[in-house]
Amino acid sequence: MDTKMIIEMVGYVGSALVLVSFFMSSIFKLRVINTIGSLIFTVYAFIIHSYPTAVMNICLVAINIYYLIKLSNTSKETREYDLVKVSLDDSMLKYSIDKAKDDIQKCFPGLSLDFSDATTSYMVCYNGAPAGIFIGKETSDKNLDILLDYSLPEYRDFSIGKFLFSKLPSYGVKSLTYSGPDEHHKDYLNKYSFVKKDGNYVKTF
């Protein structure tokens, strides 16, 4: 492999990472991957003496770093969420699910959005706006089968989970069971002490 080909490969890698970043559902991941791609592309631009391209990518790196710091500082703050119990036919709940349905399917591949078997539902709100949706089905012994535990991309820093699981016991919930898709959900479940048992994830309060 000659030097010219190696240089071209650097450019392709940088471009690919920038492109892939826009497929990230998490804003934080998008900016991290975009920053790495932009850095690599900056190096490539300097090598081929394309200085306008280099300057543009340096600016992108600076913008991404600024917002990553801002996101990091925001995630460290204690957000004051509200837990609102809503009926399953609540218009805002239905609207929120419909608006986020594509992202929900990305987070939980194959999940049915038919919640006709559900018996309880909550919306987690921040500054009066929906930030998360929790839908469950009550079973015996104060257990809730989780049908949907979804957070909007900008709130995926585990803060909603911490808030939600601190509040549910006050509504009489003693345990939770999750048996849905876990492809993108394992880290969340493990962080909040869900234990895998007989193919399901179980959390006891």
Side-chain angles (χ1 to χ4, degrees):
M1 185 179 295
D2 60 24
T3 303
K4 184 178 179 180
M5 187 173 293
I6 292 173
I7 292 172
E8 287 184 355
M9 287 292 292
V10 170
Y12 284 127
V13 170
S15 299
L17 286 173
V18 170
L19 180 62
V20 167
S21 71
F22 293 107
F23 289 93
M24 299 292 105
S25 58
S26 165
I27 299 297
F28 183 81
K29 289 180 180 178
L30 183 154
R31 292 203 176 275
V32 168
I33 295 175
N34 193 280
T35 299
I36 296 170
S38 295
L39 280 170
I40 293 173
F41 208 74
T42 299
V43 172
Y44 170 75
F46 275 119
I47 292 173
I48 65 171
H49 305 293
S50 178
Y51 300 114
T53 303
V55 170
M56 181 191 71
N57 278 277
I58 288 171
C59 290
L60 287 175
V61 170
I63 291 169
N64 280 328
I65 290 174
Y66 169 78
Y67 280 105
L68 282 169
I69 292 171
K70 193 173 180 181
L71 281 170
S72 178
N73 289 337
T74 301
S75 67
K76 290 175 183 176
E77 295 172 0
T78 302
R79 290 196 183 109
E80 293 186 2
Y81 293 112
D82 296 306
L83 186 62
V84 183
K85 191 169 185 177
V86 296
S87 64
L88 290 161
D89 59 357
D90 182 270
S91 57
M92 181 55 74
L93 177 66
K94 289 183 176 180
Y95 170 79
S96 298
I97 292 173
D98 184 64
K99 190 170 181 62
K101 62 183 178 182
D102 291 338
D103 189 48
I104 292 173
Q105 291 291 350
K106 287 180 183 178
C107 295
F108 307 98
L111 178 72
S112 171
L113 297 182
D114 177 10
F115 301 115
S116 55
D117 290 339
T119 59
T120 187
S121 53
Y122 301 89
M123 296 190 72
V124 179
C125 297
Y126 177 63
N127 285 342
I133 301 168
F134 184 90
I135 298 176
K137 178 181 179 182
E138 294 179 4
T139 61
S140 58
D141 301 323
K142 303 287 186 179
N143 178 75
L144 269 183
D145 284 342
I146 300 173
L147 303 181
L148 178 65
D149 183 4
Y150 170 77
S151 300
L152 271 68
E154 56 266 41
Y155 300 101
R156 288 183 196 152
D157 57 1
F158 298 109
S159 59
I160 285 184
K162 181 179 179 180
F163 169 78
L164 182 64
F165 299 138
S166 72
K167 293 294 183 181
L168 286 177
S170 66
Y171 286 85
V173 179
K174 292 184 177 179
S175 61
L176 297 167
T177 303
Y178 178 75
S179 56
D182 65 354
E183 182 180 348
H184 307 301
H185 208 45
K186 288 180 181 178
D187 290 344
Y188 176 85
L189 295 168
N190 290 331
K191 181 175 179 64
Y192 289 108
S193 304
F194 280 79
V195 178
K196 196 163 188 179
K197 183 179 180 182
D198 300 326
N200 299 322
Y201 290 89
V202 180
K203 178 179 176 65
T204 303
F205 294 107

